[in-house]
Amino acid sequence: MLTLTTLTSMPFGVDTVNMETVKPYHHGSLQTSLVEAGFELARQGGPDAVGLRAVTRAAGVSHNAAYRHFADREQLLVAVSTRCMRELALLMEARTAEVQVRDRRRRARSRLVAIGEAYVEFATTEPGWFRTAFAVTDMAGSVDGPALGVGDEGLGPYELLGARLDELVEVGELPAERRPGAEFAAWAVVHGLATLLTEGPLQGLPVADRGHAVAIALGVVQRGL
Amino acid sequence: MLTLTTLTSMPFGVDTVNMETVKPYHHGSLQTSLVEAGFELARQGGPDAVGLRAVTRAAGVSHNAAYRHFADREQLLVAVSTRCMRELALLMEARTAEVQVRDRRRRARSRLVAIGEAYVEFATTEPGWFRTAFAVTDMAGSVDGPALGVGDEGLGPYELLGARLDELVEVGELPAERRPGAEFAAWAVVHGLATLLTEGPLQGLPVADRGHAVAIALGVVQRGL
DNA sequence: TGTACATCAGTGAACGCGCGTTCACTGATGTAC
DNA sequence: TGTACATCAGTGAACGCGCGTTCACTGATGTAC
C-alpha cells in the first residue's frame, strides 16, 4: 500500500532546508509554504485548523504576512482545500493504475471499484484532508458538471469517475442509455460511505466490518448500473 | 406537503406566553426551552450556531443559567442534535404513511423509496438541522447497530430503514440472503445524496435536476438490491 | 397553620483564549537612467 | 558600472469579537418540625 504522502513531491526541496538555516527576509515561496502548512494542519484538525495565524505560525513567519498572498482566510482555505482535493484524485489514480486485469470488461469494472474504494480509503485514513477537500464548495460550478477541480494539475475526482463510467460503456458493460446520470448513483454511495464512516454514525464501526460494508454497497451499485 | 415545523407540537403551549408576560425568576422548563432555542438556532446556522451564550440569549436568560441543565456546551449540542434527529425520523415516518399503494410488493418498494426521499428532502429543505443531527456522533454505539437514536421517543432513522428492508424481505421483494448489510448500501446512497446536495459540490445543482439525480440514484439501488 | 432552613435555579461580573483584520512601519529587490 | 527610487514582502503592535467557563452571589421553593 502506498503511503499517501509519497504521492506528491515536496513543494520545494533544498530551499526548505536552507530556509531553516538562513531564514532570509524574503521567503521566496511563502504562498506555497503557507498552503503546505495549511495542508499539514488540516490533516489533524480539518478545515477549522486552517487559520491565518495557525498557518503563518507553522511557516515561521509573522501572522499577517499571509495577506500578501491571500485576501482573507477564505481564500487560504480554498487553496488548501484544492490541495486536499488533488491528493484525493492522486490516490484514485494510483489505485486505478494498480488494477491488473486482462479481460477488458472485467478490467473496466475493477477500475470503477478501485476508484470507489480509493475514495473511501482516503476518507477513512485521512479524514482531516477529506473534510477539508469538501469544506469549500462555492467554487462557481461549471456547465459540464460540478466544480470538483484541482486547478490545472490533472483531473478531479468527478472527472475520474466520469472516465470510468465512459469506459464501462465503451466496453459494453453499461448500456449507453443508462450512462446519463450514472455519476449520481456511483458518487452518492461512495461519498455516503465516506461520510458515514468518517464523520457520521458509522464512525465506530470496527475496521474489519468497514471493508465488508464498502464491498456490499459497491456491489449493489454495480449490480444496479 | 407537510410543513416540517408542524410535525412536532410546541414544547409547552400556554406557559410560553405566560413566560413572556410574567417572567418569573424560576423559569419552570428552562432545559426544554434551551434545547428548543438551540433547535431554532441550528436551523439557520447549523451546529456552530448552538452555543451556550447564543442559546441562553435566545431564551431570555442569563448566559450561565444553562449550567444548571447541561454540564458543558457539548452536552447541550447532544440534546439539540437528538432533537434534530427526531425531526428527521418524524419526516420519514410521515412520508411513509403517505404512501397509497395497494399491491403489497409495490407498496413495500414505494415505502422504501419514500423514506429515502424524505431523508434527502429533510437535508435539502433544512440543511442546518440535518448537519446538526449528524454533528454529534460519539454517542456510544450499540451492539445492534449504530447509534442513531432519538431517545425514548420513537424509532430513529436507522431503525426505520431496517423496518423497510425487513418488509421488503417479508413481501418477497428482497432475497433473504441479501438482507444482511443492505442498510449500508441504501443508507450510503441516500446520505451521500443528502451531503453532496447540501454541503458538497452538488450544492449548486438546479432544484429541477435534484429530483432527477435522486430518482436515478434510488433506482440504481433498488435494482441492485 | 406557621416558620426556619436546606436546596435549588437563577444572576452578573470577570477571566483568558485565539481568532481575523487593520495600521504604520522597515528591510530587500530590481530597474531606469 | 553605479546609484536613486519605486515596488514589493515581510514585521510588530493593537483592536474588537464572541466564546466557554468560573466565581461569589441572590431570589424562590418546598419541606421538617
Side-chain angles (χ1 to χ4, degrees):
Chain A
M1 176 172 160
L2 279 176
T3 307
L4 292 184
T5 42
T6 64
L7 290 170
T8 42
S9 55
M10 288 300 287
F12 35 78
V14 197
D15 285 9
T16 311
V17 182
N18 287 348
M19 194 190 72
E20 303 282 3
T21 54
V22 182
K23 174 99 177 167
Y25 192 90
H26 280 196
H27 182 283
S29 54
L30 184 56
Q31 173 142 5
T32 318
S33 295
L34 292 175
V35 173
E36 215 55 27
F39 185 55
E40 284 311 319
L41 287 164
R43 190 174 200 174
Q44 294 303 322
D48 291 348
V50 182
L52 253 0
R53 295 186 104 109
V55 126
T56 46
R57 202 183 304 127
V61 108
S62 86
H63 60 270
N64 55 355
Y67 284 99
R68 293 288 153 199
H69 304 281
F70 303 99
D72 54 17
R73 197 226 160 202
E74 184 63 21
Q75 284 206 14
L76 167 69
L77 188 57
V78 168
V80 174
S81 169
T82 305
R83 178 64 238 271
C84 293
M85 199 62 95
R86 190 167 77 236
E87 198 73 13
L88 167 58
L90 285 167
L91 185 69
M92 290 168 74
E93 284 182 332
R95 292 288 178 265
T96 310
E98 282 169 15
V99 171
Q100 312 245 11
V101 176
R102 284 282 169 70
D103 180 66
R104 303 165 63 226
R105 304 174 73 119
R106 289 190 46 237
R107 179 183 158 83
R109 294 186 88 96
S110 295
R111 295 177 92 194
L112 177 65
V113 171
I115 63 162
E117 286 174 346
Y119 198 98
V120 177
E121 178 191 346
F122 186 79
T124 50
T125 59
E126 299 292 353
W129 283 345
F130 182 75
R131 280 167 52 216
T132 309
F134 290 96
V136 173
T137 42
D138 51 352
M139 342 173 170
S142 72
V143 233
D144 311 310
L148 250 190
V150 292
D152 299 331
E153 335 192 20
L155 301 175
Y158 183 75
E159 284 85 4
L160 292 174
L161 171 59
R164 290 307 118 238
L165 291 170
D166 288 344
E167 191 181 34
L168 235 40
V169 174
E170 280 168 31
V171 132
E173 280 288 275
L174 177 66
E177 72 270 18
R178 274 237 262 284
R179 175 63 245 274
E183 282 94 342
F184 292 124
W187 194 7
V189 219
V190 147
H191 192 81
L193 282 170
T195 308
L196 289 172
L197 290 169
T198 287
E199 313 164 42
L202 252 32
Q203 235 172 333
L205 200 72
V207 189
D209 297 346
R210 271 188 203 165
H212 190 218
V214 174
I216 291 177
L218 289 182
V220 168
V221 171
Q222 257 196 105
R223 221 174 298 122
L225 275 173
Chain B
M1 174 174 162
L2 280 176
T3 308
L4 292 186
T5 41
T6 64
L7 290 170
T8 42
S9 56
M10 289 300 287
F12 35 78
V14 196
D15 285 8
T16 311
V17 182
N18 287 349
M19 194 191 71
E20 304 281 4
T21 53
V22 181
K23 174 96 175 167
Y25 192 91
H26 280 196
H27 182 284
S29 53
L30 185 55
Q31 173 142 6
T32 318
S33 294
L34 292 175
V35 173
E36 214 55 27
F39 184 56
E40 283 313 318
L41 287 164
R43 190 174 201 173
Q44 294 303 322
D48 292 347
V50 182
L52 253 1
R53 294 187 103 107
V55 127
T56 47
R57 202 183 303 129
V61 109
S62 87
H63 60 268
N64 56 354
Y67 284 100
R68 293 288 153 197
H69 304 281
F70 303 99
D72 53 18
R73 197 225 160 204
E74 184 63 20
Q75 284 205 13
L76 167 68
L77 188 57
V78 168
V80 174
S81 170
T82 304
R83 179 63 238 271
C84 293
M85 198 64 94
R86 191 168 74 236
E87 198 72 13
L88 167 58
L90 286 167
L91 185 68
M92 291 168 74
E93 283 181 333
R95 291 289 178 265
T96 308
E98 283 169 13
V99 171
Q100 313 245 8
V101 177
R102 284 281 170 70
D103 180 65
R104 305 165 61 227
R105 304 175 71 121
R106 290 192 44 239
R107 178 183 159 82
R109 293 187 88 97
S110 295
R111 296 177 91 192
L112 177 65
V113 171
I115 63 163
E117 285 174 346
Y119 197 98
V120 178
E121 178 190 346
F122 185 79
T124 50
T125 58
E126 299 292 352
W129 283 345
F130 182 76
R131 281 168 52 217
T132 308
F134 291 95
V136 173
T137 42
D138 51 351
M139 342 174 171
S142 72
V143 233
D144 312 311
L148 250 190
V150 292
D152 299 331
E153 335 193 18
L155 301 175
Y158 182 76
E159 283 85 5
L160 292 174
L161 171 59
R164 290 307 117 239
L165 291 170
D166 288 345
E167 191 181 35
L168 234 40
V169 174
E170 280 168 31
V171 132
E173 281 288 275
L174 177 65
E177 72 270 17
R178 275 238 261 286
R179 174 62 186 76
E183 282 94 343
F184 293 124
W187 194 7
V189 220
V190 147
H191 193 81
L193 281 170
T195 309
L196 289 171
L197 290 169
T198 287
E199 313 164 43
L202 251 34
Q203 235 173 333
L205 201 73
V207 189
D209 296 346
R210 270 188 205 165
H212 190 218
V214 174
I216 291 177
L218 289 182
V220 168
V221 171
Q222 257 196 105
R223 221 174 297 122
L225 275 174

